[in-house]
Amino acid sequence: MYRRRPTGAPARIGIADVESVERTVRDLRALDYQYGGGSCHRAVLTRLPMAQALLAATVPVRLTRRVDAAVADMHNLAGWTLFDNGSITEALHHFGVALDLATRAGNRAMAANIRYRRGRVHLHYNSAGQALAEFERGRIEAHAANSPLAAAILSANQAWAYAKLGRAEEAIAALATMRNEFEAADRAEVPSWAAFFTETELSAMSGSVHTDLARFVDSRHAKRAVPELETAIGSYGDGMARSRAFCLISLAVNRLLLQDVDVAVDIGRDALVHGRTVKSSRLRDRLRPLENEARKWCGADELTEEIRTMLPAAS
């Protein structure tokens, strides 16, 4: 039985076709980081069928794995942008397809990254136990790929999951592991799906972990969170606007926990200004803890009201 080639699929492809998909993924991923998944998920989904069609074309043997990996990463990006846009069922579907293709390609470093992203979906929706299971599977893939950078990403997120569960010692130990793995990584040629994980991101993740330890374990962790978040905020460029907005929100939460109400209000307003340039449903969800803390302080009434006004626009 002959398989019909999808409409628009080339009969035979070469390196230029694969590089075109890889370049498209890099460009769209940059839009996601800067403007949020809500700004580009449709663009990703529009381009996905043409990338998918490459799988039905005649491919030189030397390119088969690279084709699978390129299409896997397109699905990986589709899953992430849909997650950022609040479309969870669709996101998990694309992550599943991405994982199958990455496995077929033998690209275990990418498989580790997909596991990290699937875990982040669970973590965001308060299923830290499920997140930890994904992160642990990801670590197995990262070690099999001999990729300390992939392992560092997973260690950072394990730390965050432990913090949300109130397991402080494990969270801090995982941060130390993250740092060691990051320092052992070769960052000369980093794939696009892992390129976000820089020294700046290490500071952001450390700040995020200590923020949740401050919220759920001991408010004194806020003193450790603040300098890490300030470092990240000062280091993020315009291309990481979403991450900067997230860090500003966390910094405002910590300032409230430290009873620096006036400073917290100023930072919170700055977070809202930055947040208005980002189309991300996760922004709305990250604002909830800030709203909850702000409500406890009469000096933060105006910030509370501004957050409530912002929430519908962030959905």
Side-chain angles (χ1 to χ4, degrees):
M1 178 180 293
Y2 293 98
R3 181 173 59 179
R4 177 177 293 176
R5 190 166 62 247
T7 302
R12 184 178 180 82
I13 66 171
I15 186 64
D17 301 286
V18 185
E19 289 177 341
S20 177
V21 173
E22 294 169 342
R23 185 167 53 252
T24 297
V25 172
R26 285 195 300 272
D27 292 345
L28 290 172
R29 185 167 273 136
L31 290 176
D32 169 67
Y33 286 139
Q34 186 167 4
Y35 300 112
S39 71
C40 61
H41 74 283
R42 288 189 180 89
V44 177
L45 295 177
T46 297
R47 288 161 176 77
L48 189 55
M50 285 301 294
Q52 187 79 27
L54 298 186
L55 300 175
T58 300
V59 184
V61 173
R62 63 186 174 81
L63 288 181
T64 53
R65 289 194 170 197
R66 188 165 171 181
V67 170
D68 285 344
V71 180
D73 201 25
M74 181 71 87
H75 279 284
N76 191 23
L77 178 60
W80 189 253
T81 58
L82 286 163
F83 164 46
D84 202 44
N85 196 52
S87 303
I88 305 311
T89 300
E90 291 179 80
L92 291 173
H93 164 73
H94 284 285
F95 284 138
V97 175
L99 187 58
D100 288 344
L101 286 169
T103 300
R104 191 169 82 177
N107 195 326
R108 303 194 75 166
M110 183 186 288
N113 186 266
I114 297 163
R115 291 284 187 187
Y116 140 68
R117 294 178 190 275
R118 292 212 310 193
R120 281 292 290 270
V121 175
H122 296 305
L123 191 62
H124 186 77
Y125 289 98
N126 300 315
S127 297
Q130 284 182 274
L132 280 170
E134 285 287 357
F135 297 151
E136 186 54 41
R137 294 187 188 104
R139 284 186 62 79
I140 292 171
E141 298 284 3
H143 287 301
N146 192 27
S147 175
L149 184 62
I153 293 171
L154 288 149
S155 293
N157 284 273
Q158 282 181 318
W160 204 0
Y162 287 136
K164 288 182 180 295
L165 291 169
R167 294 159 61 175
E169 290 185 7
E170 289 162 291
I172 292 171
L175 284 180
T177 300
M178 169 197 74
R179 173 61 67 177
N180 291 336
E181 289 167 338
F182 183 80
E183 290 176 351
D186 179 3
R187 299 190 293 281
E189 293 186 15
V190 178
S192 71
W193 64 81
F196 75 97
F197 204 73
T198 61
E199 286 280 0
T200 300
E201 191 66 19
L202 256 67
S203 295
M205 287 302 298
S206 295
S208 297
V209 170
H210 284 289
T211 297
D212 278 343
L213 288 175
R215 292 175 60 209
F216 301 128
V217 179
D218 189 329
S219 62
R220 286 178 293 184
H221 281 277
K223 291 182 179 179
R224 297 189 63 179
V226 165
E228 296 282 11
L229 292 168
E230 289 178 339
T231 296
I233 291 164
S235 301
Y236 278 130
D238 292 338
M240 298 292 285
R242 179 179 55 200
S243 295
R244 183 192 289 122
F246 287 167
C247 284
L248 283 166
I249 292 168
S250 294
L251 182 58
V253 169
N254 283 288
R255 285 300 184 184
L256 286 170
L257 291 171
L258 293 170
Q259 302 182 28
D260 298 333
V261 180
D262 291 341
V263 174
V265 169
D266 289 341
I267 295 169
R269 285 176 170 160
D270 196 15
L272 295 180
V273 169
H274 282 79
R276 290 189 181 96
T277 69
V278 178
K279 294 183 178 180
S280 168
S281 69
R282 288 191 291 154
L283 179 68
R284 173 196 62 207
D285 300 329
R286 296 282 189 96
L287 284 169
R288 298 292 184 190
L290 178 56
E291 181 191 11
N292 291 338
E293 288 300 327
R295 279 187 304 178
K296 299 174 184 177
W297 301 93
C298 59
D301 290 341
E302 290 185 10
L303 176 60
T304 303
E305 192 57 38
E306 288 180 33
I307 292 172
R308 289 173 180 166
T309 301
M310 174 78 174
L311 290 180
S315 61

